[in-house]
Amino acid sequence: MEIIITKDSEEMSDKAAEIVIAQIKAKPDTVLGLATGSTPEGLYARMVRAHKEDGLDFSSVVTFNLDEYVDLAPDHEQSYRSFMNRHLFDHINVNKENTHVPDGLATDLGEFCRRYEQMICEAGGIDIQVLGIGRDGHLGFNEPGSSLASLTQVVTLAPETIEDNSRFFQSEEEVPRFAVTMGIQSILNARKCLMLASGRGKAEVVKGCVEGPITAMVTASALQMHTDAVVILDEEAASMLDRIDYYRWAQEARQQVADRL
Ligand code: GLP
């Protein structure tokens, strides 16, 4: 795991945008794995700016989102499809047909999950997967106890996730109980994983993810098994890491050999 510690969430988003934009420039038909939540909003704003101000071309980019609520229509304000349109897709020249968000309305959800995996495979696999982390350590919606070998699946949301996400709905009762999410193995299949976290509220779970044992109780800890996982944190999210001095030192040292890496 490469740990990058930044001053604040603005700098975290700058660094993430640098990596994603470089990837799209190097490979215009990049397959992007995308996440929702407030954490990647700054990254998406920078991608939009790169398109509007510097002409970054998304016309050949293909995207796959991590997850979607079950039984929330795509045009519902809080669906992840709406979120992605609002924060990214409506403002760049991506072909909407190339943007994929799991279908939470599918009547046969099991069959849909298998098809989603196949679609990712047929697109050539994900080049870079953007990730946030839930307070209970989830990636996508892979709650504690989800198999680390899981592929796209239907999950029951944990009470703490429902509570956290209720801020986007009128009440907690309105938050869907189920979601379709790429599994942990689907995420690990991406060629590169880019996890972002900011704020003190994420410090404990970030410690579990980066320095704790690999366990289905913190599904994000599976990133320790990925050969190209980059974790970008702000100071608050990094504040509980035991080896913080080493990560800072390594970060600086890497810059000196950046052109050889
Ligand atoms: C939701 C999403 C996750 C996201 C998490 C954290 O549960 N399914 O993909 O990482 O929220 O959200 P936030 O970035 O708002 O803290």
Side-chain angles (χ1 to χ4, degrees):
M1 266 183 174
E2 181 181 344
I3 313 295
I4 299 175
I5 301 169
T6 59
K7 192 167 78 243
D8 51 23
S9 65
E10 292 297 308
E11 210 180 285
M12 175 197 76
S13 303
D14 286 343
K15 188 69 209 161
E18 212 178 274
I19 295 172
V20 173
I21 291 168
Q23 164 70 35
I24 296 170
K25 283 184 178 160
K27 185 173 180 262
D29 59 349
T30 286
V31 180
L32 280 181
L34 298 174
T36 52
S38 36
T39 312
E41 283 181 17
L43 162 63
Y44 298 152
R46 283 156 180 77
M47 289 163 70
V48 169
R49 204 185 312 141
H51 170 66
K52 296 213 155 120
E53 293 174 9
D54 306 324
L56 183 66
D57 183 18
F58 289 83
S59 61
S60 305
V61 167
V62 175
T63 70
F64 286 92
N65 260 79
L66 279 172
D67 47 12
E68 180 60 284
Y69 293 111
V70 167
D71 284 348
L72 210 59
D75 61 357
H76 187 288
E77 216 197 335
Q78 293 310 329
S79 76
Y80 285 170
R81 163 56 76 180
S82 294
F83 175 100
M84 290 311 301
N85 287 346
R86 205 160 51 237
H87 289 282
L88 187 64
F89 301 152
D90 284 347
H91 313 288
I92 57 176
N93 67 330
V94 71
N95 178 349
K96 281 260 177 82
E97 285 182 7
N98 290 339
T99 65
H100 307 92
V101 178
D103 178 9
L105 297 184
T107 37
D108 187 340
L109 288 165
E111 168 55 22
F112 175 79
C113 291
R114 284 185 288 278
R115 194 145 44 87
Y116 203 60
E117 285 294 326
Q118 204 180 336
M119 282 156 73
I120 295 172
C121 203
E122 282 165 8
I126 291 171
D127 290 302
I128 181 162
Q129 175 66 57
V130 175
L131 298 159
I133 182 169
R135 197 162 48 106
D136 62 5
H138 67 229
L139 293 182
F141 268 131
N142 293 283
E143 300 287 30
S146 273
S147 163
L148 300 185
S150 50
L151 295 174
T152 301
Q153 59 176 345
V154 178
V155 293
T156 311
L157 301 186
E160 49 273 47
T161 302
I162 291 175
E163 191 190 317
D164 283 351
N165 292 359
S166 66
R167 68 188 195 273
F168 302 112
F169 292 81
Q170 310 276 20
S171 67
E172 216 170 287
E173 286 63 53
E174 265 189 45
V175 185
R177 270 29 186 176
F178 302 96
V180 177
T181 180
M182 276 187 209
I184 294 297
Q185 186 59 55
S186 332
I187 293 167
L188 295 180
N189 286 344
R191 284 182 271 282
K192 187 183 194 79
C193 286
L194 188 60
M195 195 189 92
L196 315 180
S198 69
R200 198 159 297 275
K202 295 286 172 73
E204 197 174 334
V205 82
V206 162
K207 182 178 166 43
C209 160
V210 174
E211 295 180 336
I214 297 173
T215 167
M217 290 300 117
V218 180
T219 55
S221 65
L223 287 177
Q224 293 176 33
M225 295 192 295
H226 198 284
T227 52
D228 191 2
V230 178
V231 175
I232 310 181
L233 307 170
D234 71 356
E235 277 181 0
E236 288 189 357
S239 60
M240 287 177 74
L241 293 171
D242 285 338
R243 290 174 63 77
I244 189 162
D245 292 340
Y246 169 72
Y247 304 134
R248 286 189 195 281
W249 181 82
Q251 194 177 330
E252 232 182 273
R254 258 193 321 269
Q255 275 163 20
Q256 290 162 26
V257 288
D259 55 336
R260 294 171 58 201
L261 291 174

